[in-house]
Amino acid sequence: MEVLKIATAGSVDDGKSTLIGRLLYDTKSLTTDKIEAIEKSSKLKGYDYLDLSLATDGLVAEREQGITIDVAHIYFSTAKKSYIIADTPGHVEYTRNMVTGASTSQVSIILIDARKGVIEQTYRHFFINNLLRVKEVIVAINKMDLVDYSEEVFNKIKADFQALNAKSTFKEQNVSYIPLSAINGGNVVDKSENMKWYDGQTVLEHLEALEPTDVFEKGEARFPVQTVIRPKTEEYHDFRGYAGKLYGNSIKVGDAVTVLPSLTESKVKNIHFFDKQYDEAIAGSSITIELENDINVTRGDMIVKSTELPKIEKDITTTVCWMDSKKLVPGTKYIVQHNTNRVLAKVESIKNTIATDYSGTTPATQLAINEIGEVRIKLSKPLYFDAYNDNKSNGAFILIDTATNTTAGVGFIR
C-alpha cells in the first residue's frame, strides 16, 4: 500500500492537533479507549464538544498549555493509502523541530486561522516548505465557523497567500486552498453543509487523490550501501550482495554502474528483494544488489549509473538549519553524515543568516539555535553528492558534534 508522509504547520491555536484528531476520528482510526479518554477529558474541562487535539498532544506540557512542542508522528490508514503525519510546532523557537518534521514529508498542510489570516508565522512555515522542496502544499483555512463560513473571508486569505506564493523560487510546488472547520469536521473528511459555495475537495479527498508522480521528485539513481550481505551458507556460498535503499530513480539488471568513491565499474547482475528477484527496482525500494564482478564495496560507498555520476568535491556550499544550543562558528569540526557515509569536516566560513519571512539575508559570522544560514564546509575527503534542488536524498546531510555525538544541524547542499 502507498504510504504518504504529511507535515502540518500552524501558529498557536490554529487547530493543527484538532485537524489531525478529526482526521483520525472521522476515518475511525481511534481506538475505543482513546475516544473514551477524550470524552472524559473534554467533560472535565467543561467542553460541550470533543477536544480532538488530545488525540495527538502527548506531552503533559502540550496538554496543559494547548500548544505543540515536540514533533509527534501519527499513523492511520484508509482503504486507499497509509498515512504518516508529523505534527510539527509552529513557534519560531521550534524552527528546528519543524524542519525535522517536514524534511521527510511529501505533503505539507499549513493551517491559517480564518480570523487572523496570513501572519508572520505563515511566511516562516511556507519558507521552510520551499527550502525543503515539499511539492504539495495544502493551505487549510481553519475556524471558518468563527467567521460565519464567509466566502469573502476565504477569498481574501487565499489572495494574500497567493501574493506570498509569488515570492517562492520553487515553481514546481502545487498549492491548494481548502476552507474548513476542524472542530466540527467541515471539509476535513466530509463536505461541509455550511460552505456550499466551496466546490473543491475535502482534506482527505485531496490526500486520497494524490498520485506518486504528484509528490515524489525524480532524480538520478543513487544507491548508498548500508551493509554487505555475505551469508556463507551452502546454498549461497559465494554470494556477495550490497543492501540499501534506492533513491532518485529506478535501476535495472544489466545497467552499467560505478562504485564511489573508488570509481570502480561493473554491471548489475541481480536485484533481490528478500526472497524474490526483480529485473528492475524503483526509487524507494529497499533491495540487495549483486554485481557481475567481485569488487571492493563497503558501507558508506554509493552505487550509481555510470552515465549519471554525481559531483565529487571536498568543498561544499550549504544552507544549514542550526539545532544546537552551542553556536556554530567558523573553525569548528563536525562529522558530516551524508546518507550512510561519514566524513570529518570543518566549518570554513559563515556568510549570512537567511530570514524565514522572505525579507532577505543578513551578514553573519555565527549561527544560533533555530537560525538558518549559508555555510561553507571543507571536508577531509571527497563527498559524492548532488545539489539538494536536483536530488533531495543525495543533497541533504546532518552535522554531528564530535564531542557529544549530538545532531547539531541539518544541511542542504547548494
Side-chain angles (χ1 to χ4, degrees):
M1 182 181 287
E2 183 188 339
V3 179
L4 193 65
K5 296 178 182 177
I6 306 164
T8 61
S11 304
V12 180
D13 293 332
D14 278 354
K16 298 191 309 297
S17 299
T18 303
L19 170 62
I20 297 169
R22 175 59 66 180
L23 272 170
L24 297 174
Y25 184 77
D26 285 358
T27 57
K28 297 179 172 54
S29 301
L30 291 174
T31 58
T32 303
D33 59 332
K34 185 74 172 179
I35 294 172
E36 289 173 354
I38 292 171
E39 289 173 344
K40 183 179 178 182
S41 181
S42 299
K43 285 178 183 177
L44 285 173
K45 291 181 178 181
Y47 297 159
D48 58 357
Y49 61 89
L50 283 180
D51 183 8
L52 292 173
S53 69
L54 297 171
T56 62
D57 288 340
L59 300 179
V60 172
E62 292 178 327
R63 294 195 296 270
E64 288 176 347
Q65 298 177 55
I67 64 173
T68 300
I69 298 171
D70 198 11
V71 178
H73 287 90
I74 299 99
Y75 305 81
F76 77 101
S77 296
T78 63
K80 194 170 183 180
K81 281 188 179 81
S82 289
Y83 298 93
I84 303 174
I85 303 178
D87 185 18
T88 68
H91 304 66
V92 62
E93 63 267 35
Y94 301 128
T95 297
R96 57 179 179 164
N97 303 62
M98 185 183 170
V99 170
T100 301
S103 62
T104 58
S105 299
Q106 293 97 35
V107 181
S108 182
I109 300 175
I110 298 178
L111 273 88
I112 295 177
D113 188 325
R115 299 168 300 173
K116 300 175 184 176
V118 174
I119 60 175
E120 181 187 345
Q121 290 200 79
T122 312
Y123 277 64
R124 183 179 309 112
H125 303 153
F126 189 56
F127 175 87
I128 290 173
N129 279 287
N130 283 176
L131 175 66
L132 297 174
R133 295 182 69 83
V134 179
K135 285 187 76 173
E136 189 74 27
V137 173
I138 299 172
V139 179
I141 300 169
N142 191 25
K143 304 194 178 184
M144 290 296 295
D145 52 302
L146 300 182
V147 293
D148 298 323
Y149 301 101
S150 168
E151 182 180 7
E152 184 180 347
V153 169
F154 170 75
N155 287 334
K156 171 67 168 59
I157 295 172
K158 180 178 177 180
D160 289 345
F161 199 98
Q162 285 173 328
L164 169 58
N165 189 21
K167 299 175 184 286
S168 170
T169 57
F170 183 25
K171 300 306 178 186
E172 296 85 355
Q173 194 173 57
N174 180 53
V175 181
S176 305
Y177 303 87
I178 302 177
L180 57 90
S181 173
I183 202 164
N184 61 34
N187 287 341
V188 179
V189 172
D190 302 311
K191 291 271 190 178
S192 170
E193 290 298 314
N194 298 303
M195 290 180 276
K196 291 186 177 177
W197 46 265
Y198 172 71
D199 58 1
Q201 297 172 313
T202 66
V203 173
L204 185 63
E205 285 173 345
H206 187 90
L207 295 173
E208 295 274 85
L210 289 174
E211 297 293 337
T213 51
D214 297 327
V215 293
F216 289 100
E217 286 195 278
K218 283 287 186 182
E220 294 173 329
R222 303 292 184 241
F223 186 73
V225 177
Q226 291 186 15
T227 189
V228 180
I229 306 293
R230 292 296 310 276
K232 293 187 178 178
T233 61
E234 197 59 44
E235 187 179 358
Y236 298 102
H237 192 271
D238 296 318
F239 184 92
R240 183 192 295 266
Y242 310 106
K245 187 172 183 178
L246 179 63
Y247 297 98
N249 214 322
S250 61
I251 200 163
K252 299 177 182 177
V253 170
D255 280 346
V257 294
T258 299
V259 178
L260 302 171
S262 67
L263 294 175
T264 311
E265 296 185 348
S266 186
K267 285 187 177 181
V268 177
K269 179 181 177 183
N270 290 307
I271 298 172
H272 301 265
F273 178 77
F274 191 49
D275 59 347
K276 296 181 174 62
Q277 287 192 42
Y278 293 95
D279 291 330
E280 181 178 9
I282 60 171
S285 303
S286 294
I287 55 175
T288 298
I289 290 177
E290 266 189 285
L291 299 180
E292 285 193 351
N293 51 323
D294 289 336
I295 54 180
N296 185 24
V297 182
T298 188
R299 175 178 169 84
D301 289 354
M302 182 179 288
I303 298 173
V304 302
K305 293 181 183 178
S306 296
T307 56
E308 299 177 351
L309 293 181
K311 296 177 183 175
I312 305 173
E313 296 178 12
K314 290 177 67 175
D315 203 320
I316 55 176
T317 301
T318 71
T319 300
V320 169
C321 175
W322 195 240
M323 299 178 168
D324 201 353
S325 55
K326 183 170 66 176
K327 292 181 179 179
L328 177 68
V329 294
T332 317
K333 291 182 179 179
Y334 290 92
I335 293 170
V336 166
Q337 174 88 49
H338 175 253
N339 292 314
T340 57
N341 189 21
R342 285 192 169 200
V343 180
L344 187 63
K346 184 176 80 171
V347 177
E348 195 74 4
S349 62
I350 298 170
K351 183 178 179 182
N352 54 43
T353 56
I354 304 169
T356 56
D357 61 358
Y358 287 93
S359 59
T361 61
T362 304
T365 56
Q366 61 182 24
L367 288 186
I369 189 169
N370 289 309
E371 286 188 331
I372 298 173
E374 187 177 335
V375 179
R376 188 165 152 249
I377 297 173
K378 198 155 190 175
L379 306 156
S380 61
K381 59 182 182 180
L383 204 67
Y384 18 101
F385 65 91
D386 299 285
Y388 185 78
N389 288 355
D390 298 329
N391 193 313
K392 290 172 66 171
S393 63
N394 203 38
F397 62 91
I398 61 172
L399 288 169
I400 301 172
D401 190 307
T402 55
T404 63
N405 210 37
T406 57
T407 299
V410 58
F412 313 96
I413 305 173
R414 293 193 169 193

